[in-house]
Amino acid sequence: MKTTRLILVGGFLGAGKTTLLWEAAHKVMQNGQRVGLITNDQAPELVDTAILSRDEVKVAEVNGSCFCCNFPGLIDATKKLRKEAEADVIIAEPVGSCTDLSATIVQPLKENLRGELLVSPLTVLADPMRLSDILNGGNAGLHPSAAYIYRKQLEESDIILISKTDLVSAEELSLLIEKTKLHFPESEIMTASSASGEGLSDWLEKVQNSNEAGKHLVEVDYDVYAEGEAVLGWLNSTIELSGNSIDWDAFAQTLMQSLSKQFDAMGASVGHVKILMESGDKYIVSNLTGLNNTLTFRQSAGTSNNARLTVNARVEMTPETLENMVKTTLDEICEATISKKLVAQRCLSPGRPNPTYRFAYVV
């Protein structure tokens, strides 16, 4: 079987990894190559998988734990895409709250799949707003232990890819690049916008033509790491909704605006909240990556009698509080005009990371 290029894209929750994966996959396919994508989460019912699967790209999902703690699951997903999709390129997105990827994922991949995979430089995606605050000594609105994870992700990167560059001015971006170089001189700094496409081709050319992967191993305090993940409540929920000629776009906007305002009022740090509202072939996607001003919507689910809602939320509060908030908000919006049926739900706080492998040397 042919050798497959594996591109691993890390980065904290809300950095824009899924959008980047989607745009990158299309650029690769435009060049005549077959692509497979691997998504990852602590629980099933992923918005990312559902969105990506609507396209012609083959998607494999590793859920129930992160790549590092379920390395055999990552291997199985990789082999599946190599066989079923005959993938020339696989792009994999680890859980956004994971770090120590070089030691626990990149090195084991290089060792265990030698001859099958060409592993690209480890890319860490960084939202310019959060990155700027981190470089200025802040915590980017995160719990200190979560901010620790963010910094470790940057420290171990081969490439720091500053995302969402369409949201900052050229002057701000230039200053941010210089500051990032000063703080992380061993990492290559690149920029890209999934919205405009600027910088994506340059990044793809770099990662598709280099095998210098996982050059940096970092020391990670697993007690702080575990706390940084545990402070977030994680909710994955899928609900079937039905009513009479419901405007699902308005429903999605009301839901996300309400949740966002409640999080802001509580001072609860948002890793990300994603929803996918599907009605037949139509759908609307919404993302929240911080305060209310980060809320975005794209596409349209239109008006119909039935829809399927998938919610993925990672917010700094107990799982029980998060679950109750989402349920109460949905009840208020639905009232007597919309019926709802819970299809699947997992609400949890991630356990302590326990990697399958942790290499102390660069392969």
Side-chain angles (χ1 to χ4, degrees):
M1 188 178 287
K2 64 186 178 185
T3 303
T4 301
R5 169 69 62 179
L6 177 69
I7 303 171
L8 193 68
V9 183
F12 204 77
L13 301 162
K17 296 187 295 298
T18 304
T19 306
L20 178 82
L21 260 65
W22 193 88
E23 295 293 343
H26 278 264
K27 283 191 173 293
V28 172
M29 288 189 296
Q30 287 169 5
N31 291 331
Q33 294 178 296
R34 295 184 179 91
V35 183
L37 302 176
I38 305 177
T39 58
N40 182 212
D41 197 62
Q42 303 282 3
E45 303 298 319
L46 270 184
V47 168
D48 292 351
T49 303
I51 294 172
L52 295 170
S53 297
R54 296 183 71 93
D55 208 359
E56 65 266 29
V57 183
K58 186 74 174 178
V59 182
E61 180 179 297
V62 178
N63 64 58
S65 67
C66 51
F67 286 156
C68 61
C69 298
N70 185 12
F71 190 79
L74 174 60
I75 295 293
D76 289 345
T78 301
K79 290 182 178 294
K80 177 181 178 181
L81 290 176
R82 278 170 52 79
K83 180 180 179 180
E84 295 182 6
E86 298 182 349
D88 301 298
V89 178
I90 294 174
I91 309 175
E93 173 194 356
V95 174
S97 59
C98 282
T99 189
D100 209 19
L101 303 182
S102 181
T104 64
I105 300 177
V106 177
Q107 310 310 329
L109 282 172
K110 289 160 67 177
E111 181 70 27
N112 287 281
L113 294 183
R114 194 188 304 267
E116 296 181 42
L117 292 181
L118 292 173
V119 184
S120 293
L122 172 59
T123 297
V124 171
L125 210 60
D127 174 281
M129 310 307 178
R130 277 187 170 155
L131 175 61
S132 180
D133 193 63
I134 290 288
L135 296 181
N136 288 331
N139 287 334
L142 303 171
H143 184 280
S145 294
Y148 172 84
I149 294 173
Y150 193 111
R151 294 186 184 95
K152 286 297 174 181
Q153 290 177 339
L154 298 171
E155 186 181 339
E156 69 173 336
S157 67
D158 295 313
I159 298 172
I160 296 175
L161 183 63
I162 301 174
S163 62
K164 307 177 184 179
T165 55
D166 54 293
L167 302 180
V168 296
S169 68
E171 183 179 353
E172 290 171 326
L173 182 58
S174 178
L175 179 60
L176 184 57
I177 292 170
E178 292 306 313
K179 292 180 75 170
T180 307
K181 287 179 179 178
L182 287 173
H183 281 80
F184 303 100
E186 295 185 356
S187 300
E188 182 169 352
I189 314 302
M190 302 187 76
T191 63
S193 166
S194 296
S196 69
E198 187 174 358
L200 279 179
S201 294
D202 291 340
W203 170 71
L204 273 173
E205 183 177 358
K206 176 69 180 180
V207 294
Q208 286 193 272
N209 293 284
S210 175
N211 302 327
E212 294 185 344
K215 294 183 292 183
H216 312 135
L217 299 179
V218 298
E219 292 186 9
V220 176
D221 185 326
Y222 266 66
D223 290 333
V224 179
Y225 180 8
E227 181 183 42
E229 288 206 300
V231 295
L232 295 172
W234 294 57
L235 171 70
N236 284 10
S237 185
T238 299
I239 303 123
E240 291 180 351
L241 303 166
S242 59
N244 184 23
S245 297
I246 305 300
D247 183 340
W248 297 118
D249 293 346
F251 185 101
Q253 290 162 9
T254 301
L255 172 62
M256 290 296 281
Q257 286 287 357
S258 178
L259 289 174
S260 176
K261 289 174 182 177
Q262 290 178 71
F263 297 145
D264 287 357
M266 295 174 65
S269 176
V270 174
H272 74 231
V273 179
K274 301 181 181 182
I275 70 165
L276 171 65
M277 179 80 73
E278 300 174 279
S279 178
D281 294 334
K282 297 180 179 180
Y283 67 96
I284 184 171
V285 180
S286 180
N287 284 277
L288 178 70
T289 59
L291 298 175
N292 184 260
N293 60 3
T294 66
L295 185 57
T296 62
F297 298 88
R298 61 184 176 88
Q299 302 296 332
S300 171
T303 299
S304 70
N305 294 339
N306 300 287
R308 184 181 180 93
L309 171 66
T310 303
V311 180
N312 294 167
R314 290 82 176 99
V315 186
E316 191 179 310
M317 60 178 60
T318 66
E320 295 77 15
T321 301
L322 180 58
E323 181 179 14
N324 183 64
M325 182 179 294
V326 172
K327 179 182 182 303
T328 300
T329 304
L330 279 171
D331 288 344
E332 291 174 351
I333 298 172
C334 291
E335 295 183 319
T337 59
I338 301 174
S339 63
K340 56 186 178 66
K341 176 185 176 183
L342 185 63
V343 176
Q345 182 160 288
R346 283 288 306 278
C347 197
L348 56 91
S349 181
R352 184 182 179 85
N354 184 26
T356 308
Y357 299 100
R358 189 166 191 261
F359 279 51
Y361 59 91
V362 174
V363 175

